Amino acid sequence: MALSGLDIYKLLAKTNCKACGFPTCLAFAMQLAQKKISLDRCPYVSDEARAILESAAQPPMKLVTIGTGDGALKVGNETVMFRHEQKFVNPAGIGFLLEDALPPRTIDEALAKIATLECERVGQRLRPDLIALRNASDDAGKFSALARAAAGRSALNLLLISDSIAALKSALETVRARRPLIMSCAARTPVAHFSLAKEEGLPVVVSGTSLEEVASLASQAKALGVDEMVIALAGGSIVSRIQDFTLAKRSALKRNLRALGYPFIAFTDSADPLLELEEAVSYVARYANIIIMKNYERDVVLPLLVVRQDIYADPQKPVQVEPRVYEIGKVDERSPVLVTTNFSITYFTVAGEVESSKVPSYIISCDAEGMSVLTAWAAEKFTAETITASLGKSGIADRVAHRRLIIPGYVAVLSGKLEELSGWQVSVGPREASGIPSLLKGWK
Ligand code: SF4
């Protein structure tokens, strides 16, 4: 839990010696509480005070990394209960369960299907993050073969689930370099799994049937030297799991309960695809950091990816596209020029309608700090002056032989001044983007 300036002040030497560059210890403490300076600037901090201050500076929920490189899944490091307080930091990982007892052909088909689960929304690429491999056969050879197939056919991160340390070690021979998360199938994680995680330097799932049990096991694993852990709650209903995730997150964030300060993993119970989607959405919202699903059909997974994108978007910073000129279709010097704001949803709605009109066009997205048209206009970020500046910066005048500009119907009021400032002839487009195709079809 973050310490206040006064809490920090009580731990300092209180001599006001100014060696830190601040006139008083209190001034130094206030700056430290706001994380504007480092503790090292005071040479008179006792070892005891340093230990307390450094511990308080740790994030209340541990960051856990599964995998390596750009595609690694990072979960945890969250600092708030609600996204409107600040934002959620690391999007929940979404994965799918595969068992080694399945026929090889079914495994092949599943991996092929999982590889197609991607889509683009408001300029962002959405994809799942991991595949969970369960040693249901109790055969180390089969488990190892499944790990080899998954690693060879998919770049997604891996979760290896087995009660057998020998089977896990055998699979690790193939996928160790992928830095998988390891887990036992048991309701209570055996100590042997913590020892393996420590030996291999891998993250491990700590399973228990209650928060008290996982807290005790996490402390035990920590004492053994395991650093990265993910918490799982075995048994219980969907509701009780969500209640426990909420209680655990609150305990970690608000009461600084380190033993529960780890990301949570949830496995879906529902067999019906739509019920499973509902369940997974509930876990994304409250507060699982990894969700493992049985189903990998597009119509179940893609909506879940979209929900995750929305929940993990920064509520104080709208999703934006780069302010510049965009070409839709094979444009030429006679193509129409439309202007809109750089709010992603606005831009992609306009772009979609222009595309469906089949009239090659230019779209200039003006820098309106990611606001939609009416909001930006009301905030004076989308005005005759800013549009004129965007026209100039875009270089569009060199790319078209005409000087006709289409503006959104909601800002028709800007027409006169915009014509005056830019020298372009302004046409007022429809208020809703759905009217764009009929407007462009009449373009000459
Ligand atoms: Fe206080 Fe340390 Fe700064 Fe001296 S150097 S004023 S003891 S905080």
Side-chain angles (χ1 to χ4, degrees), residues 12-26 28-29 41-45:
L12 297 176
K14 299 189 242 356
T15 57
N16 299 333
C17 71
K18 302 185 179 56
C20 56
F22 289 91
T24 61
C25 293
L26 185 59
F28 175 84
R41 286 179 65 167
C42 172
Y44 306 112
V45 180

